[in-house]
Amino acid sequence: MSAITASARGMTPADLDAADELAFARERFAIPEGVIYLDGNSLGALPRATAARLAAVIASEWGEDLITSWNRHDWIGAPARVGAKIAPLIGAAADEVIVADSVSVNLFKLLAGALQLRPGRRVILSEPSSFPTDLYMAQGLASMGAAELRLASDIPAALAAGRDGRQGKDVAVVLLSHVHYKSAAVHDMAAITAAAHAAGALMLWDLSHSVGALPLDLAGAGADMAVGCGYKYLNGGPGAPAFAYLARRHQAAFASPLSGWMGHAAPFAFTDAYAPAPGITRLLCGTPPILSLAALEIGVDLIAELGVDRLAAKSRALSDLFIAAVADIPGLALASPTGVRGSHLAFRHPNAHAICQALIARGVIGDFRDPDILRFGFAPAYLRFADVAAAAAMLAEIVATGAWDRPEFHARQAVT
Ligand SMILES: *Cc1c(COP(=O)(O)O)cnc(C)c1O
């Protein structure tokens, strides 16, 4: 990480691109002409191999081999197979990860399972301003009478003090995003996991903004559970299925509240009584989305080939360049850490929404997060240093000229 950052001093963006050992990877993605894509943290770009692979799965596996493909092309094994490929990206063993459902649904399954694994405790401890779905899913469990959601800004302190001085003894599970979706602030995974364990709680990490962007070591941290997103840095496509991690030591006792037939020990025995599959497969619920899994597998293979360590180092260098290039823009304030952080940056600006729209109109795609955050992602697999410098110059120009202040840039769309 430091090697690139240090060498960045005194080098032009073109020099940095020429020296970039990941420069070749851009050709592996379909990036439209004239677009600088700074939103790979929200929807990863399209790998070139995906269209052909999907066409083949559709025409040959679905079209010709029809239902026999569940066996012939191992469709039935796809959730575990792709999960096993994600495992090394997050510091897990192959049999501890499975692809299934959305992050939201996996949160529901794991939180409910965590509560069952900690009988007598009913608190889900999380932090304010977490990604909304994390809090909403916990609130859903609470509304069923299954849990109580408690929010604390200082998680280790909340665990240590506990309510009523009971040393956090009512906390069943701690739920946190490793990288914050707005600020890109990073939690110390090992330290917080240890604090959760010291209080007798389980630890569930949301890796949606981490996987494929930062090196991760769930096993080293002793994490119990995790979820992560398939359509961000893993480039699995819009609505790609998510993944769930459950440490092997918990698998035999884990009970999914969504006890669907694909998580059954013998789905094709068609028995009336539910019996969970051994191992991670019990986290499956219904029939896996094979086309989406095929697209996700391409993205995961590509990120694994490029290597998360190299990707993280380049992303850091890209975002450091951007911070330096926009430092003098009036009214723009960095809202991300200058130290350890994820792969995106947040900036505050009073006119953030209109500026974001004006940038998009010029082909620089970032996003806006209420109320005043401009968010730019530096997905390193397909971004050039020259792109980042050009985007910064465009941002400076739009702010300097007031080009953002047009009616069409103020109109809010459904998705920001
Ligand atoms: C993107 C994201 C999700 C996505 O949840 P889905 O249910 O898959 O839409 C969840 N959590 C975090 C932190 C995210 O960034």
Side-chain angles (χ1 to χ4, degrees):
M1 194 172 288
S2 57
I4 298 183
T5 308
S7 68
R9 294 197 191 97
M11 289 174 79
T12 66
D15 292 339
L16 291 166
D17 283 320
D20 174 16
E21 59 175 3
L22 282 173
F24 75 93
R26 181 177 171 84
E27 288 307 312
R28 309 283 286 277
F29 292 86
I31 307 291
E33 202 60 45
V35 165
I36 299 178
Y37 192 56
L38 302 182
D39 220 351
N41 53 303
S42 215
L43 174 65
L46 169 66
R48 281 194 198 278
T50 302
R53 174 73 188 136
L54 279 186
V57 173
I58 291 169
S60 163
E61 296 185 11
W62 178 13
E64 286 171 27
D65 294 337
L66 291 161
I67 201 167
T68 68
S69 287
W70 285 102
N71 292 314
R72 194 174 296 185
H73 299 291
D74 195 30
W75 284 359
I76 197 70
R81 182 178 70 246
V82 182
K85 289 179 172 188
I86 292 171
L89 303 179
I90 60 176
D95 63 352
E96 295 178 313
V97 185
I98 196 143
V99 174
D101 304 310
S102 60
V103 173
S104 303
V105 172
N106 288 332
L107 284 168
F108 185 86
K109 290 183 284 190
L110 289 172
L111 287 172
L115 287 155
Q116 285 220 4
L117 289 170
R118 286 293 178 270
R121 296 166 176 246
R122 43 183 282 115
V123 171
I124 299 169
L125 179 63
S126 191
E127 61 181 356
S129 305
S130 293
F131 190 81
T133 212
D134 298 56
L135 302 183
Y136 299 164
M137 297 311 291
Q139 286 166 27
L141 275 165
S143 74
M144 295 167 65
E148 177 191 327
L149 174 61
R150 184 180 303 157
L151 303 182
S153 302
D154 187 339
I155 296 288
L159 284 165
R163 207 167 54 183
D164 314 320
R166 289 190 301 136
Q167 298 294 321
K169 290 259 184 291
D170 53 358
V171 178
V173 56
V174 179
L175 165 64
L176 290 176
S177 280
H178 175 242
V179 172
H180 194 268
Y181 78 102
K182 260 192 206 172
S183 70
V186 178
H187 275 304
D188 183 335
M189 184 180 278
I192 293 181
T193 301
H197 289 170
L202 296 168
M203 186 70 222
L204 198 176
W205 289 104
D206 187 334
L207 304 178
S208 293
H209 270 85
S210 313
V211 62
L214 293 182
L216 296 166
D217 188 5
L218 287 172
D224 303 288
M225 303 171 169
V227 294
C229 188
Y231 54 79
K232 291 171 179 152
Y233 296 101
L234 295 182
N235 307 298
F243 65 85
Y245 157 86
L246 178 61
R248 197 181 294 133
R249 62 186 177 277
H250 295 307
Q251 289 177 0
F254 180 88
S256 173
L258 301 180
S259 43
W261 74 307
M262 282 291 153
H264 192 279
F268 291 91
F270 295 105
T271 55
D272 286 350
Y274 181 76
I280 193 73
T281 307
R282 66 180 55 192
L283 272 155
L284 291 181
C285 181
T287 305
I290 294 304
L291 301 181
S292 299
L293 268 156
L296 176 61
E297 189 164 14
I298 296 284
V300 170
D301 283 343
L302 185 46
I303 291 301
E305 179 196 335
L306 299 177
V308 175
D309 288 318
R310 287 201 298 179
L311 290 165
K314 181 179 170 188
S315 172
R316 179 69 197 207
L318 290 167
S319 63
D320 281 345
L321 176 72
F322 192 81
I323 289 175
V326 302
D328 297 331
I329 296 181
L332 193 73
L334 181 66
S336 292
T338 51
V340 178
R341 61 174 184 258
S343 194
H344 66 276
L345 290 174
F347 294 87
R348 290 187 192 288
H349 192 285
N351 304 115
H353 178 266
I355 291 170
C356 181
Q357 291 305 310
L359 280 169
I360 291 172
R362 286 164 170 74
V364 177
I365 302 179
D367 63 25
F368 163 78
R369 286 292 174 264
D370 236 10
D372 61 350
I373 296 279
L374 276 163
R375 199 174 60 154
F376 300 109
F378 299 89
Y382 41 84
L383 272 180
R384 296 169 297 205
F385 289 89
D387 295 326
V388 170
M394 189 84 77
L395 177 57
E397 184 218 299
I398 284 171
V399 173
T401 60
W404 53 269
D405 196 10
R406 298 168 61 103
E408 68 264 34
F409 298 147
H410 290 287
R412 295 276 176 112
Q413 293 175 291
V415 176
T416 60

